[in-house]
Amino acid sequence: MIKRFLRYLLNEKLDIQERLFGLSTAIGMTGVAAAFVSGLILGESKAGLIYAVASFFCYLVIVFLGYRFRRVNLAAKIISVAIIFVFLPLTFFTSGGIYGGSPIWFLFGIIYVGMIMNGGSRIFFLLGGVIVTAVCWVVGKEHPEYIVQHTENTAYSDAMWSLYIVCGVLLSLIIFQTYLYRRENQRAAAQKKEIEELGEAQNRFFSSISHEIRTPINTIIGLNEMILRENASKEINEDAVNIQTAGRMLLHLINDILDMSKIRSGQMQLTTMAYKTGDMITDIVGMISVKAKEKNLKFSADVTPKLPAELIGDEVRIKQILINILNNAIKYTNDGFVSMSVQCASLTDKRMNVIFAVTDTGIGIKKESMPFLFNAYQRADEEKNRYIEGTGLGLSIVKQLLDLMDGRITVNSVYTKGSTFIVEIPQKVADSSPVGELDFEGSSVSRSRDYKYNRSFEAPEAKILVCDDTAANLIVVEKLLRPIHADVTTVKSGAMALEKTLDNHYHVILMDHMMPEMDGIECMHRIRNQTGGQCKDSKIVIFTANAGSEHRAMYSEEGFDGYLVKPVTGSALEAELRKQLPREIVLFAGDAEKIFDDGNVVASMHSNKTLVSITTESVADLPGDYKEKNKVSEIPYKVITDRGIFRDGMEIETRGAISYMQSTDANVYSQPPGVEEYEAFFAKQLENSYNVIHIALSSKIMKSGFEDAMEASKAFDNVTVIDSQQVGGGHGLLVMMACRLADQGLSPREITEELLRIRSRVVGGFIVDDAEYLVRAGQIPARIYGFTRAFMIHPVIVMKKGRMKLGRVCFGTREKAWETHVRKALKSRRRPDKRLLIITHVGLTHREIESIREAVLSVVKFENIYVNQASPAIAVNCGPGTFGLFCFTQDDVDIYKP
C-alpha cells in the first residue's frame, strides 16, 4: 500500500498540484489520527474525541470520492471549507480554547489550506481562516462558558502533544513538497537540455543538408551554364534555362528553411562590418533587373545622393531582406513596374536611419490579409496565388531579421492596384561622405531566354589553383574559366595543394572548406606558413557550400581574401577573380564585347519623399496660405443639394453655398468621403511621403468621416488616423500643431502621442446667429428654433469630449451677443494660451471681422490671430453670421517647444 502510494506521488504524468494534494491529505489524516490518540491518553472530553473520529472518516470519504470521480479540486475545496469553518472552531470550543493545543491547530489548518489550494481560492480560504480565528478568540474572551475547559495539567500536555504532532506533520509536508519540486525542476532542466540538443541536432542536420545539396546543385548549374554558352539550338537553350531556373528555386527554398530553423532556435546571429552602400545597391539592382526583364516589367531605382558611402551593418542579411521583398514584388506583378527608392534620415551624429521603399503595380493585398502577412508558411489570397511558387517563409524571415536589426517593415497596399513595402534599418556610419549619383549602367547581366555569354575579361598569364575533394566541382570551375584563357590547375585534397604550392606560384587559389584529412582552413594556414612555399602571399578565396553571413565572417577572420559560395555562376566566378588577380595581367573586354544589358533599368529622378505628411479634411478650417506653405493635403467632403453633389471647396465655395440656402427652403447637408475615396487619397499621399498622419473631424459628430478613414487605413501600415475630437477651427488648430511637430523632426509615433495628449487642451466654440440652419442640417430639433427666434437667443455650441454641446446662450442683438460671447469665451476658468487664436466665420464682412478682432484683443493680447472663412460643408450646417474662437489652454508643458 505504501509503495503504491509512493508510486502515485512520483508519477510525473500527474499534475504536481494533484500529487501535493494527495501528499498533504495523507499527512493531514495522520496528524488527525495522532491527535485522537493523544486525546485518549490525556483524557480529552468525549465530544472532542468523537469529533476527531468523525473528522477523520469525513476526511477519508471526501478524498476517496474526489479521486474516484476525478474531482480532486472540488475535494480540496470541500476539505478546506471543513477545516476553516468546522474543524478549527469545534476544536477551539471543545479543547480548552486558547488554553491547550487549539492555537497550534489553527496554525496548522491555515498553513495546510495554503498548501493544497491555489489562485483565488487560496486567498479566499486564507482570509476566511484569519476571520474565523479572530471570531473564535473574541467569542472565547466574551463568553468563556461556551468553551469546554481543560485542567491546568491537561492544557500543558495538550499544547505539548499538539506542538509535536503539528511540527511533525508540517515538517513532513515541507520535506516531501521540496522533494517533489526538486524532481520537477530536474525534469524541466532535463527536458530543456533535450530540447536544446534537439535544436542543435536539427540545425546540424539542416546545415549538413544545405552543404550536401549545394554541392550537386553546383554541378548542375555550372555544367548547365556551359550548355548555354555553346549557343546550341533554341530548344536546347530553352531547356537549359528551365534547368537553371529550377536549380535556383531549389536553392532558394533550402536557404529559407535553413534561415527559419536558425531563427526559431534563437541561433541566428548578425555579422556587422563596414560595407559600401553603393556597391550593395548596385549588386541588388543587377540581380533584380534580370528578373524584371524576364517578366517584361520596368524596374526603376532611386537612391538619394546624400546616402553615406559606408555604413556598418550585416550587408549579407540586408541584401537578403531587400532581394526577398523585390522578388516578391516581381513575382506578384504581371504588368507595370517595380521600383526601389533609398533615402536616409539622421538619428545622431554617428547613426543613420536608412529607408528602403519597394513599390509595385501588382495584385495588392486584401485588408483582411494584412495582419497575417508576416506569418510563416502562410500566403495571402491563397486561391488567387496558388500557381505562384514559394514556401511562404520569405516575409516571415524578413520581419524577424529586421527585429534583430532593431528595424521595422510596414506595408501600404490597395487590393488589385499594388503595394509598397517600407523597410527602415538604423545603422552606424563608417564614412559620412555622400555616395553621390549611382550609375546603374552595367549592373544587370543578361540571362534572358535568348542567352548569350560574353566574357568580362581575359587573363592568359594568370595561374589559378582549385582545391576541392569533389571531382564534379573541379570540372565545373575548370570549364567556367576556359573563356578567360587562364592556366587552371585542379587538385583533390589539401595535401596535393601543398605539393603544388611548394614548387609553383599561383596568383589565386580557390579552396574548398569541408575536405577529408585536411580541411580548407588548415590548408590555407599551412600555405601561408609553408617553408620554401611559393604562395605565401597569394590570394586565397574560400570556395564553399557553407552559406550565410556568420560563415563569411568566420572565413574573413581566418584570413581568406575572398568568399565564393556554391553553387557558383560564371559571372560570380569571373567577378571574384577580377577582384583578386593583379590588374596588370587582366585584359578587359572591349565595347564590342559589352556584357551588360540594362535596357529595363531606369535610374529615376530623386523623389525626396518626406518622412511625415500631415493630412486632414476640408472641414478643418485652415487659412489657404498656411495649407500651401506647409503642404497640408485635404480630402474634400461633399455638399449635397437638390441640384447635385459638389466637392467641398473645389466645386462649391462658402458664399455660393450660403446664397443657395438663403434662396431656397430645400435641405442642404454635408457628407464625408467613403472608404474607397480615403484609400485613394492615402495611396496618393504615400507617393510623396513615407508616413501619413491624418487628422479627422471628431468621431462623435454626425456624419464624421473618422470611421471610414480608420477602415481605409487598415490597408496602410504607414497611415495613422487621429480623432481630433474637434470641429472647424479647433480641428484646424490641431492640424497646425501636427505640422509644427513634423517640422521639428519628430517621428510619426511621437507626433501621434503628442497630439493625443494635447487635443483635450483645445478650447473654443461658435456662436450661431440664426438657429434655422442648425435645424435644416438636423443638428437641433425644429421646436427649439422658434423659441430662440422669439427671444433673440443666440446659442453657443462648444465641444466636450468630442461631442457638440450647448455651452451657453447669449441674448440681444447680433453685435451684443458677439461681444458677450468673446468676453465669456476668453475669460473662462481655463486660461487661454496667448500665442495662437483661430477665428472661423461664415459670411462675415471685413468690418465685422475687424470688430471681432478688436473685441478679442481687448480681452486677451494674442500674438498670432488667424482668420478663416469656414468651408462650405461647415457653413451649410450653421449658416451665415456664425463665428467661432479656438485656442489652446495654458499648461505646465510648453507644447510649442521642440
Side-chain angles (χ1 to χ4, degrees), residues 566-771:
K566 300 171 187 173
V568 71
T569 62
S571 58
L573 192 56
E574 289 183 15
E576 187 64 34
L577 289 175
R578 277 204 315 272
K579 190 162 57 175
Q580 303 296 346
L581 286 170
R583 292 191 64 83
E584 60 270 15
I585 67 172
V586 176
L587 304 175
F588 289 97
D591 291 338
E593 294 184 291
K594 186 178 180 184
I595 66 168
F596 300 121
D597 178 6
D598 60 334
N600 68 321
V601 183
V602 179
S604 60
M605 296 296 290
H606 306 303
S607 60
N608 291 325
K609 281 188 175 183
T610 58
L611 179 63
V612 184
S613 176
I614 305 299
T615 67
T616 186
E617 295 147 353
S618 61
V619 291
D621 290 328
L622 287 166
D625 56 345
Y626 184 91
K627 288 185 283 190
E628 187 176 344
K629 179 182 176 182
N630 291 274
K631 298 179 180 178
V632 178
S633 297
E634 293 181 332
I635 183 170
Y637 267 52
K638 301 182 188 74
V639 177
I640 300 177
T641 72
D642 58 356
R643 293 186 182 178
I645 300 174
F646 305 92
R647 286 184 294 173
D648 187 22
M650 299 174 70
E651 298 170 341
I652 187 170
E653 295 297 333
T654 302
R655 292 191 183 278
I658 294 171
S659 176
Y660 176 77
M661 291 187 71
Q662 290 173 333
S663 65
T664 179
D665 293 332
N667 287 336
V668 181
Y669 58 95
S670 60
Q671 179 177 301
V675 175
E676 290 186 1
E677 291 169 290
Y678 275 112
E679 283 182 353
F681 176 72
F682 292 149
K684 182 69 175 174
Q685 301 311 308
L686 286 166
E687 291 177 6
N688 302 307
S689 183
Y690 288 110
N691 299 276
V692 170
I693 294 179
H694 181 78
I695 302 169
L697 181 71
S698 175
S699 62
K700 296 173 183 175
I701 297 295
M702 186 185 302
K703 298 171 184 173
S704 167
F706 175 77
E707 295 298 334
D708 283 347
M710 282 294 292
E711 180 63 27
S713 72
K714 292 178 182 177
F716 309 94
D717 282 347
N718 295 64
V719 173
T720 303
V721 178
I722 295 176
D723 181 357
S724 68
Q725 296 188 350
Q726 296 293 330
V727 295
H731 186 179
L733 200 62
L734 210 62
V735 175
M736 294 174 75
M737 184 52 62
C739 292
R740 187 182 186 94
L741 295 171
D743 287 343
Q744 292 170 4
L746 272 65
S747 69
R749 181 182 58 80
E750 292 169 329
I751 294 172
T752 301
E753 289 174 355
E754 185 64 9
L755 291 177
L756 293 176
R757 185 186 72 82
I758 66 173
R759 68 182 176 184
S760 61
R761 290 186 49 206
V762 177
V763 293
F766 52 92
I767 183 169
V768 178
D769 184 49
D770 189 346

Side-chain angles (χ1 to χ4, degrees), residues 269-273 313-317 549-553:
Q269 295 181 342
L270 300 177
T271 306
T272 56
M273 58 181 66
D314 192 331
E315 180 186 5
V316 173
R317 293 302 179 187
S549 56
E550 66 278 11
H551 289 114
R552 185 170 191 165

Side-chain angles (χ1 to χ4, degrees), residues 768-826:
V768 178
D769 184 49
D770 189 346
E772 176 191 358
Y773 294 93
L774 291 176
V775 174
R776 289 169 67 177
Q779 301 290 349
I780 62 173
R783 63 180 180 276
I784 296 178
Y785 167 61
F787 179 77
T788 59
R789 188 171 186 125
F791 292 95
M792 298 180 68
I793 294 174
H794 302 269
V796 176
I797 307 299
V798 298
M799 298 299 296
K800 289 186 177 179
K801 296 182 179 179
R803 299 183 185 279
M804 292 175 64
K805 302 284 186 181
L806 180 65
R808 70 180 75 88
V809 293
C810 297
F811 296 91
T813 63
R814 171 196 276 196
E815 289 74 16
K816 183 70 175 176
W818 286 359
E819 184 181 338
T820 303
H821 171 55
V822 170
R823 186 177 65 256
K824 289 188 175 181
L826 298 180

Side-chain angles (χ1 to χ4, degrees), residues 5 9 19-28 172-173 176-177 180:
F5 181 65
L9 291 180
R19 288 184 281 155
L20 283 174
F21 173 71
L23 172 66
S24 304
T25 300
I27 294 176
S172 300
L173 275 174
F176 274 98
Q177 188 179 43
L180 286 180

